[in-house]
Amino acid sequence: MTKKVALVTGASSGIGEAAARQLQKAGFIVYGAARRTDRMSGLAASGVRTLALDVTSETSADKAVAEIIAAEGRIDVLVNNAGYGSYGALEDVPMEEARAQIEVNVFGLARLTRLVLPHMRARRGGTIVNISSMGGRFATPMGAWYHASKYAVEGLSDALRLEAKRFGIDVVLIEPGSVRTEWGAIAAGKLRATSGHGPYAEQADAMAKSLDRSSRPGSRMTSPATVIGNAVVTAATARRPRTRYRVGFGASPLILLNRLLPDRAFDALIKRSSGVPA
């Protein structure tokens, strides 16, 4: 039987790397893509096929998908994982940075999806797995543009699911909770640089400390990236995958509480858990 082919974006670290490794173990031919191929040497050594990809570039995206189609003739699973967290008070974040956040997290995802869809339609099947966040269902302080991008991914995925189903294509959202990767430390650094001084400094400092904690080895209130990788494999191999997988520390209970609590009560809960002063 011909092996299925998966493309994972943002595969150089964290969730993307874990998803690529676990899809390969599940029997897929896996292409791991990222801007810096030098950071994927470990993946390459394990048998994952690596390629350069900048999701903000039409040329780069076209080239990556064309290379896979030329080699394999198909893409059965697309894991849209490439993204980052731009944190800072809305008043402080330059509009250029806001546009960059949306360009990577939303338009980059849409760009790859548009390129892969015709090949999936031609085969009357495929699975698109979009890595969202519990932050696509509720917001935390200092993350306006990050949350805006993830809310957009949720809406885009819901609409695409309705459009693509008739062609045998499943669209799945993964909504991770707090995951132990370098993502938190990078977001904390951006937050301190953007809002570490001025009227929002106290809130920024508290939120940055919370983000930093999620990147520390052995942090108790986080889950390893492999937990999310397992969910990706489950979605990619299921005959009828769920539309959403809420996995990782805090995801299911916090999303449920967001639905049940009045807004101001939930606001208070989030501020308290983040250490942000009222």
Side-chain angles (χ1 to χ4, degrees):
M1 184 179 294
T2 303
K3 283 189 173 184
K4 290 188 175 182
V5 178
L7 167 59
V8 181
T9 70
S12 60
S13 63
I15 291 171
E17 180 181 1
R21 289 185 183 279
Q22 287 165 258
L23 283 165
Q24 185 195 38
K25 288 178 183 177
F28 286 81
I29 295 171
V30 180
Y31 284 78
R35 287 183 302 167
R36 293 180 53 185
T37 55
D38 60 297
R39 296 191 64 189
M40 295 189 289
S41 58
L43 279 181
S46 71
V48 172
R49 301 166 195 198
T50 61
L51 45 80
L53 171 62
D54 178 354
V55 298
T56 69
S57 166
E58 294 282 355
T59 301
S60 179
D62 283 343
K63 182 179 178 182
V65 171
E67 183 176 329
I68 298 170
I69 294 299
E72 311 294 345
R74 59 195 291 168
I75 296 176
D76 300 283
V77 176
L78 169 63
V79 182
N80 280 310
N81 169 71
Y84 73 102
S86 181
Y87 272 70
L90 183 67
E91 186 178 344
D92 293 334
V93 176
M95 291 307 296
E96 181 180 358
E97 170 58 24
R99 292 186 184 96
Q101 177 77 125
I102 301 300
E103 181 63 45
V104 173
N105 289 10
V106 183
F107 292 133
L109 176 151
R111 183 172 287 114
L112 265 295
T113 301
R114 282 167 50 87
L115 289 170
V116 167
L117 276 169
H119 302 287
M120 290 185 172
R121 282 195 295 101
R123 299 187 65 83
R124 304 295 296 186
T127 304
I128 295 169
V129 180
N130 291 333
I131 306 298
S132 179
S133 168
M134 64 179 179
R137 306 299 295 277
F138 62 84
T140 56
M142 305 283 111
W145 287 109
Y146 171 71
H147 292 292
S149 74
K150 292 303 184 180
Y151 275 52
V153 167
E154 296 273 332
L156 182 152
S157 301
D158 284 340
L160 179 61
R161 185 176 67 251
L162 295 169
E163 297 166 6
K165 187 61 181 176
R166 66 179 299 183
F167 303 111
I169 300 167
D170 290 303
V171 179
V172 176
L173 279 157
I174 307 286
E175 297 171 334
S178 184
V179 181
R180 196 159 55 250
T181 69
E182 64 182 14
W183 184 96
I186 294 170
K190 283 184 170 290
L191 174 52
R192 289 189 175 101
T194 302
S195 294
H197 305 279
Y200 299 96
E202 187 179 7
Q203 295 180 67
D205 179 64
M207 192 64 200
K209 288 177 180 176
S210 177
L211 289 166
D212 266 333
R213 284 194 294 271
S214 70
S215 290
R216 292 176 188 165
S219 176
R220 290 185 302 123
M221 298 181 69
T222 59
S223 297
T226 51
V227 170
I228 317 305
N230 286 335
V232 171
V233 172
T234 297
T237 56
R239 186 181 62 82
R240 190 169 184 265
R242 287 155 47 187
T243 58
R244 282 174 167 83
Y245 291 82
R246 295 163 190 159
V247 289
F249 185 88
S252 290
L254 284 171
I255 290 171
L256 178 61
L257 285 171
N258 177 249
R259 291 172 55 192
L260 297 177
L261 292 176
D263 287 345
R264 287 187 177 86
F266 190 76
D267 287 352
L269 172 67
I270 290 298
K271 284 183 178 180
R272 187 165 60 250
S273 62
S274 302
V276 173

